[in-house]
Amino acid sequence: MIGFIDCECIIYDTQSLKEKRAVLQRILTRIKQKYNVSISEIDFQDTWQRTKFGIVAISSSKVQTERELQNVLGFIDSFPEIERTVTMFEWL
């Protein structure tokens, strides 16, 4: 089962693209190390305080895939400088 999340976020207290990329790099690196998912910024690359992630997980069952994706979302929510706004799930 393939699960895809389209996740928009607001990044607080960034005044430049350089600061935004530093925050995103830290978050993305930690997610890639901790979880068995693929994640990338897929939109708003030139906007200081906004981003959109694409997150994909693949496993043999929908329950396992959904659990992994929910764990990633919880991990994103644990960072105080970023807030999830719109999250959409797709199943393939």
Side-chain angles (χ1 to χ4, degrees), residues 12-74:
Y12 296 108
D13 299 327
T14 56
Q15 301 301 317
S16 68
L17 288 174
K18 186 175 182 178
E19 290 178 10
K20 173 191 173 183
R21 290 187 181 116
V23 170
L24 291 182
Q25 185 65 31
R26 185 168 49 89
I27 293 170
L28 295 178
T29 301
R30 291 182 65 194
I31 288 172
K32 288 175 184 177
Q33 290 172 348
K34 189 170 182 165
Y35 299 101
N36 189 20
V37 297
S38 293
I39 183 169
S40 181
E41 183 181 23
I42 58 173
D43 202 358
F44 306 114
Q45 284 92 349
D46 294 331
T47 306
W48 293 359
Q49 295 183 327
R50 200 164 167 206
T51 189
K52 183 185 280 191
F53 295 127
I55 308 166
V56 177
I58 301 172
S59 69
S60 59
S61 72
K62 184 176 180 181
V63 173
Q64 187 176 1
T65 304
E66 187 169 9
R67 185 179 309 126
E68 188 76 4
L69 291 173
Q70 288 294 344
N71 288 339
V72 172
L73 292 177

